[in-house]
Structures are given as C-alpha cells and as structure tokens.
Amino acid sequence: MAVKPPSSASAARAAGLREALASRVVVADGAMGTMLQAQDPSLEDFQNLEGCNEILNITRPDIVRSVHQEYFSVGVDCVETNTFGANLAALGEYDIPERIFELSEAGARIAREVADEFAADGRPRWVLGSVGPGTKLPTLGHAPYPALRDAYQRNVEGLIAGGADAILVETTQDLLQTKASVIGARRALAAAGADLPLLVQVTVETTGTMLLGSEIGAALTALEPLGIDMIGLNCATGPAEMSEHLRYLSRHARTRVSAMPNAGLPVLGKDGAHYPLSPGELADAHETFVREYGLSLVGGCCGTTPEHLRQVVERVRGMEPTARTPRPEPGAASLYQTVPFRQDTAYLAIGERTNANGSKKFREAMLAERWDDCVEMARDQIREGAHLLDLCVDYVGRDGVADMSEIAGRFATASTLPIVLDSTEPAVLQAGLEKLGGRAVINSVNYEDGDGPESRFARITTLAAEHGAALIALTIDEKGQARTPEDKVAVAERLIADLTGNWGILEPDILIDCLTFTICTGQEESRKDGIATIEAIRELKRRHPDVQTTLGLSNISFGLNPAARMVLNSVFLDECVKAGLDSAIVHASKILPIARLDDEQREVALDLIYDRRRPAVGDTPAYDPLQRFLELFEGVDTKSMKAGKAEELLALPLEERL
C-alpha cells in the first residue's frame, strides 16, 4: 500500500519534537485502555470483537477523542494513539490482520485532530504513534520474524498516514520482537520518505529482566545500533523498580532516555487489582528521574490517570534534563547479556568450535542433524571461557539457510554468549539475524569482488546496517589478501572510511582482521607474515584507537602438530595483544598462559614469529627457529603437555597454585 510523503507541516512538527526532547522535559499521557473501558462501549461498538480497543477508532471515535482531550486538558505535550494492538499477533487473534493499516491510520488521525485543536493556543502538541508488542514471542517460535516485521511495517505506515509525529515502540518483552518492530518501522519511514523520531521502551519485570531474561544492558546493546532516537522503560512496574535500570541507561545510552511507569505495582483487593501510587508520588518520581538521570520524556502507563499526569506536568514543566555524559560500551549481546568488545583483563575470545569448516565434531553433528549435540558444543565453549561464539554452517551440498535458521534459533535461547554469524552467503547471514534477539557480529566483509551495489560487500553490509550488527572486515581487496603491513593498513583504512562514511557504522562496531598466513611452511615468502600482522595491528590501533581488531589466530601455525600449534598460537596471540589486538577467534581451552610455557619453547616460538634466523659463524652452526621448533615437538602431544603442566602445578605450594 503506497504511503503519501509527509507534508512540510508534518516534517516541521517532527523537527519541533526533536528540538523539545533535546532542550526540556516532554510529558506524554497515561493509561488508555482503562479509560476507554470506563465509558462502557457496547459489544456492537466492538463489532462483536470484545476487547479489541482499536475497533473503537472506527466505530466510536468520540470515545477515543475524549480520552485524548482529557490528557491534553491537564497539560501534557503529547498523546499516544489508540493503536497498541494494531499488529499481526493481536488482530490475528480476532481474525482481522488485514485491518492493521486501517485501524492504525484511524487511530493516528483522531489523535492528530485533537492535538491540532489544542495546538491552536500556540503551544505545540504531538502525537506518538503507539506500536505495541502483540502476544507472539518470535524468540520462542510463536511467529516467524519476517511476518511480524512486515506487519509492523503496515502498522507504522498507517500511523504515518494518519499524522503521527513520532513512532513509539513500547512494552516490548522479547528483543527479537522489538527488533522486528523497529526494523519494520524503519522500512515504513523509508517507504514514506518520512524522518520521524523513533522511540523504544522495553518492559523490565520485577525479576530485574525482560520477560525472556534480557538484562537492560543486553537491550541497550541490541537496540541502540538500530538508529533509534530514544530508549526507555514502560509498564510492568512502578517507578521504584525502574530506578536502577534507568540509572544504567543514563550512564551508557548515547540516545535520550524515557520512562512511563505504572502507578506502582498492582495490589489485589476485594474489588480486584488497583494501582496504589498517588499522583503526587508519580510526580515525585519523575522529578527525581529528570534530575538524577536526565530523562527527556516522561509519562504514565497502567493505573495512571489525567490527575497523575496533571501533577507530573506541574512538577517537571520548565525543568531542564540534567546533562548526561554517557560512557557507551561497544559490544555484542546475547538474548540475556551484553559482552563488551574490550575486556579489562584479557583479549575477547571468540570460540571457534561451532564452525562446520573448522570443527569435524561440529560438522558431523550438523550433517546428522544432531542439534542437541551442536548446542552442547556451544555450552562447552562457554565453560571453557569464550566470550562470543563463532557459528558457521557453510558446507557444500547443505541448505545453509535451513541449517543456520535451525542452529541459530537454538543458540538464541541456549547460549548466554553473543553469536558471531560466520558465512560468505548473505541469505545464510540473514537467516541467523532473524533468529537472534541480541546483537550479533557478522563475519565477514571484504573487497574481494569490489564494493559495487551488487558486490558481496554491499549485500552483507546492508544486512549489518539494518539489523544493527557489528562487522568483522578482512584486509582483502581486489588484488587479494594484503600481505605487507603497509598494504594491510591501507585496505583497513579503506574499509573504515567506507563503513563509517557510506554505511553509518561506528568505528567501535568495526572489527578489522589484519589476517595472517602460516609461518610454518619453510618458504621464504611466508617467513615474515607473523611480523607483518603484528606491525599492521600496532599501526592500525595507533591511527584508529576506537576501531576493534580481531584475528583468526590458528592460521599462523597451520601445518604443525597439535602440541606445537598450541604453543605457537599462545605466543603469537600474546604478541598480538601487546601490539593492540582486541579479540581473536580461538579454541579458548587450547591457549596457554605465557608464564606456564617451557622457556625454550617460548623463546624459539618468538624467534619463529620474528624470523630470527642466524647464519653459521665459525664453529657455531646456522640457526633456523622453524627447524628447532619442529625438533622440540617431535613426538610431543597435547596430552603429555597437559599432564606435565598438571604435575608442575600440583608441586607448587597451595597459595601459588591458587
């Protein structure tokens, strides 16, 4: 359905709202549903769809209008449209999903008319287009993501057509549902050529998390990269229970922050549940929130009345939100938690064992469709100390989209760690993104086939930008894999400039992989590949301290036996971290602390990495660290190495062992 482009008046109102949110406290309305029900609409008013409040936008616009009038009469700046249930899940339960646009447009039009009447006094009034969550949780498989996203797009297209000044995605309980609604809203705004503020409010339960267990940090990490204008909380609790979550948002969110609490936690009495918070107490809470956390938008949810909002208006009108100096923490997120890209005491370990190309065990489980075994391998890596999990299902002859959908869908709830989606195929990456409510990292993009509109680079970066994913970018261009430090840095500079300038991806959300080849072939041209990688990392971090660096570590030791690989990988990783490496794709349990390595093994590994060969001098024979390294590990396996380390550890006094 075509949406008419917004008028100049609509654009001016949206700009005015943005300006107001930047300079003062904007007050929204309170509860809607209870006020509609209080006017006792008949079953006929509901067209025999009892409880479907959105139908009243068509049958009883007078009732809906009266609620907006009551709130504007007490001085609020904006009202929410009566469209909370105008989505696929809610209207689908009434068998009228085809009416999403109609009911959304009607709800926005009523609110627009009332807002314009009150704005005749010269003070602007705004309409917030309400986008509710519905009753389906896509993370749990209740409904497919694409269907929900497309229905939210129709919802928002109706709100735009009816004259909404901003889109408010509210009361969200499942981060994947939240992302579906935000992305649907973004598509609607783009289709209409509209630039309206996009506000998001999540609902945190009394448990301290969203319904599916998401901490507020996970919500911020997942949602802020979607380009929203504001994040906040509404519903579920009163202001007291929101305080700590708002404190977190105030400290870390780049966007503005909002709160629309219930009038306290419901109390059950002989006449049913009631909300105990008085108007004065709600006003007290909002005054504190504005002063302590710098909130820009406040209002009410369940149990709040026009009197509640009248007192809030009196208390906060004229207040300037306290200036915030947020400290963003760039990172990835699972459904449950956020993981910063910068680890305080170590590098960020990206577990490599859930990769069909790198792990025979994982590949065999996937080919046999032993999905529980795949999940158990993810859990093994969590126990081993990984921070993120690299998930690759690419395998010749398999349906990668189906495999990714199956495994990513399981990892979404089974893994507490964020996922790195690893594929060369955009369709496979998209299948993963549409299953993960947190914030994924995409591995990877490069310029192998250029950067034109049909290039793999453009197709994958489009996905990353839409879904708010972070992006691993490889130092490969049309000439192939960069080999010298200068070439690696030059390709990295091109990637950073392109991703930030043309795609709007922030530097901290770019992970540059300076790549390495094996240094164990004995061929002259590969001898200095380790040095080139280390020097490139050092120079890149000097130029772009905010950019993340990463590395597929195990390439450096390709061709050696497992025991030798373990030592060389550990030493090379340590050198890269000293040069500024932030993360690495590794088998975490096979990285050894440098202090625990045999002295000669460590020194020869360093000689190998830095190509410290020495020619024969007099009676002193020539020294080739590669040859010596091979000799040191002849007949040595990882079991004997681990056994030796265990015996050494047991021989230490208790305090040193700890």
Side-chain angles (χ1 to χ4, degrees), residues 108-109 131 139 148 152 167 174 186 219 229 241 247 255 290 411 432 530 575 594 619:
R109 183 165 29 81
V131 177
T139 292
L148 290 176
Y152 285 124
I167 304 303
D174 173 357
R186 279 250 159 270
D229 293 80
E241 294 79 13
R247 185 194 308 276
T255 63
V290 171
F411 280 16
E575 293 302 298
I594 296 301
D619 294 334

Side-chain angles (χ1 to χ4, degrees), residues 593-607:
I594 296 301
R596 308 305 308 164
L597 294 178
D598 174 88
D599 287 346
E600 185 180 9
Q601 291 175 355
R602 183 179 67 250
E603 286 306 314
V604 175
L606 285 168
D607 290 343

Side-chain angles (χ1 to χ4, degrees), residues 318-381:
M319 282 184 74
E320 220 173 281
T322 298
R324 296 190 296 117
T325 52
R327 300 181 301 280
E329 286 189 335
S334 66
L335 179 67
Y336 307 111
Q337 64 174 350
T338 184
V339 175
F341 289 138
R342 302 280 172 90
Q343 296 293 306
D344 289 339
T345 57
Y347 67 97
L348 182 84
I350 304 172
E352 66 180 0
R353 291 177 58 204
T354 44
N355 185 317
N357 291 308
S359 168
K360 182 170 180 282
K361 184 179 177 184
F362 181 77
R363 179 171 66 250
E364 288 175 348
M366 184 186 81
L367 294 177
E369 300 187 356
R370 299 196 311 269
W371 309 123
D372 289 345
D373 290 355
C374 294
V375 168
E376 195 53 40
M377 277 178 256
R379 289 180 172 145
D380 285 344
Q381 292 183 94

Side-chain angles (χ1 to χ4, degrees), residues 61-81:
D62 56 312
I63 293 180
V64 179
R65 177 185 297 274
S66 70
V67 176
H68 295 323
Q69 289 169 334
E70 283 196 61
Y71 280 117
F72 275 133
S73 294
V74 299
V76 304
D77 298 295
C78 44
V79 297
E80 295 179 51
T81 56

Side-chain angles (χ1 to χ4, degrees), residues 64 96 120 156 169 217 251 259 264 367 370 374 511 544 552 558 634 646:
V64 179
I96 54 167
V156 174
V169 172
R251 288 178 175 176
L367 294 177
R370 299 196 311 269
C374 294
L511 294 83
H544 297 278
F558 190 76
E634 195 170 340

